[in-house]
Amino acid sequence: MPSHRIAAIPGDGIGKEVVPAARQALDAVARLDGFSLAWESFEWGCEHYQRTGAMMPPDGLETLAGFEAIFLGAVGFPGVPDHVSLWGLLIPIRREFEQYVNLRPIRLLPGLESPLRPRPGPIDFMVVRENNEGEYSEIGGRLYRGAPRELAVQAAVFTRDGVDKVVRYAFELARTRDRRLTSATKSNGIVHTMPFWDQMVDEIAPAFPEVAVQRQHVDALAAMFVLRPETFDVVVASNLFGDILTDLGAAIVGSIGIAPSANLNPEREHPSMFEPIHGSAPDIAGRGIANPLGQIWAGVMMLEHLGEERAARRLMGAVERVLAAPGARTPDLGGSATTGQLVEQVLAALEPDDCRTN
Ligand code: NAI
Ligand code: MG
């Protein structure tokens, strides 16, 4: 039986609840489709940090390099500064493994209600977030701490190679969809990096004559996500802009609890990583009420990446059937179901012989 080696990193907070829940669903669908997932779980994160002074062991990246994919919950918890947890685990993985595309589907699934009024048309677009450079940079520093003249400087880094790769990926994705690409910019206020970003988009566009490209300042774009979300097909954005836009995107399609993401190394030279958009949600951690669907949908993206398209369709079909039925919902979707109850519903909705759903 074919098998895929997967590294699971539940991480912190609700990551420890939604990763095991999603693994149940993934194992069930793998059984139906005749393959197995060989999981190895790594208890890295803030507790590891509090014990050892590091979010993961010194050879953590080396260990992960041997896996086909990484399945991550979320990292970060009160008691450890967020920049320590993020830069001690998540960002090193994204960078070491050249996962320069962070792909985030924003889709209003049947049965879910957008908080927007009047009710928008169908929402179904992809955000391609640059994932290795940009505003997330270690370059800079702080001086004169505590003094009136204290200062902090942080440099954003945009390289020709980095922007080229992610923008090309977005154009190629648009070519397989509705052939419309929106580039998020802010070249009126950010006067070096953003005009460079725009220039790169202009340089690449002629190679994709069938794709209509438009440029929007990110502030206006955020407003359009709210006012006209049905008009987008593919959105390409820098690291920070893409991060902000996708929390907003997740909110307009019902809940941050359902939105997935794929950190991709498109060349497949290194493992890619799959995780929900949301964080560790300390406000609800330990209560068993986290929505597991974002983690499960991230699992669907992982199955697609592993070439298990049939299993991916089957699992997504089950998620869609669960949401379309008026049954159990977790509190973020207005219900009172637990994480476990929702997973039970997904398992029950897996249809052994029905793979028509897509
Ligand atoms: P968050 O996404 O953890 O929570 C924001 C709000 O959404 C909270 O009210 C939370 O209860 C709710 N929420 C999130 N996921 C949910 C789910 N599956 N079901 C139901 N409700 C859900 O973002 P926040 O509060 O900014 O960050 C909390 C911690 O997570 C911080 O330490 C932060 O650094 C970390 N974080 C980690 C990320 C990662 O590992 N990729 C991403 C974002 C934040
Ligand atoms: Mg975010």
Side-chain angles (χ1 to χ4, degrees), residues 94 104 129 136 239-240 242-247 256 276-279:
R94 287 175 175 170
R104 300 183 156 189
R129 168 188 175 189
Y136 283 41
N239 208 332
L240 176 66
D243 182 44
I244 297 170
L245 287 172
T246 47
D247 262 44
I256 181 121
I277 288 183
H278 65 72

Side-chain angles (χ1 to χ4, degrees), residues 8-333:
I9 309 176
D12 302 306
I14 62 166
K16 292 183 188 161
E17 302 167 40
V18 292
V19 166
R23 278 179 57 172
Q24 260 184 284
L26 285 162
D27 284 335
V29 82
R31 268 194 303 278
L32 286 172
D33 280 288
F35 64 95
S36 70
L37 297 168
W39 299 97
E40 203 169 319
S41 192
F42 298 95
E43 307 309 312
W44 300 343
C46 288
E47 280 172 28
H48 191 275
Y49 179 85
Q50 277 158 340
R51 268 198 324 272
T52 67
M55 292 288 289
M56 62 177 162
D59 61 353
L61 293 173
E62 241 170 87
T63 304
L64 294 177
F67 288 84
E68 240 182 298
I70 303 162
F71 195 54
L72 178 92
V75 288
F77 216 70
V80 178
D82 282 342
H83 67 273
V84 170
S85 47
L86 207 68
W87 282 85
L89 198 145
L90 193 63
I91 297 203
I93 295 174
R94 287 175 175 170
R95 294 193 177 189
E96 175 73 14
F97 298 137
E98 298 180 78
Q99 298 165 348
Y100 59 83
V101 167
N102 192 321
L103 187 61
R104 300 183 156 189
I106 304 294
R107 184 143 61 92
L108 183 58
L109 298 177
L112 282 188
E113 226 182 285
S114 170
L116 300 178
R117 296 290 177 275
R119 200 174 290 200
I123 303 175
D124 181 3
F125 62 91
M126 288 285 202
V127 177
V128 176
R129 168 188 175 189
E130 199 291 317
N131 209 32
N132 279 177
E133 51 178 50
E135 305 87 347
Y136 283 41
S137 139
E138 278 177 299
I139 299 174
R142 288 173 63 170
L143 285 178
Y144 316 124
R145 283 182 192 242
R149 59 176 177 161
E150 179 167 8
L151 67 92
V153 176
Q154 179 136 18
V157 177
F158 287 76
T159 65
R160 174 168 282 276
D161 180 55
V163 180
D164 184 86
K165 283 192 300 199
V166 76
V167 169
R168 263 179 215 283
Y169 184 94
F171 267 107
E172 264 156 29
L173 180 63
R175 187 150 71 176
T176 67
R177 291 176 48 100
D178 210 23
R179 300 194 293 276
R180 288 177 292 116
L181 179 66
T182 305
S183 167
T185 184
K186 190 61 192 170
S187 47
N188 53 353
I190 312 288
V191 299
H192 300 300
T193 54
M194 280 296 132
F196 174 62
W197 173 279
D198 294 347
Q199 179 195 324
M200 292 295 299
V201 172
D202 290 346
E203 281 179 22
I204 295 163
F208 300 87
E210 67 278 49
V211 176
V213 55
Q214 62 152 341
R215 158 192 311 170
Q216 285 292 342
H217 289 306
V218 66
D219 44 353
L221 186 54
M224 285 166 69
F225 268 33
V226 172
L227 298 172
R228 278 183 278 141
E230 61 283 338
T231 61
F232 295 102
D233 181 28
V234 178
V235 177
V236 64
S238 65
N239 208 332
L240 176 66
F241 292 173
D243 182 44
I244 297 170
L245 287 172
T246 47
D247 262 44
L248 177 56
I252 61 172
V253 293
S255 168
I256 181 121
I258 59 156
S261 78
N263 301 268
L264 298 174
N265 171 243
E267 292 77 18
R268 294 172 181 263
E269 287 163 354
H270 310 283
S272 291
M273 175 166 66
F274 301 83
E275 54 167 335
I277 288 183
H278 65 72
S280 58
D283 55 335
I284 58 164
R287 291 169 51 199
I289 56 165
N291 190 335
L293 296 183
Q295 190 76 49
I296 292 177
W297 193 347
V300 170
M301 296 182 87
M302 182 170 79
L303 292 175
E304 283 165 358
H305 181 78
L306 296 172
E308 302 291 355
E309 272 95 11
R310 195 180 141 95
R313 276 200 304 279
R314 195 195 295 276
L315 184 51
M316 198 62 208
V319 169
E320 290 179 357
R321 271 192 288 277
V322 166
L323 288 174
R329 300 276 164 102
T330 42
D332 58 305
L333 294 176

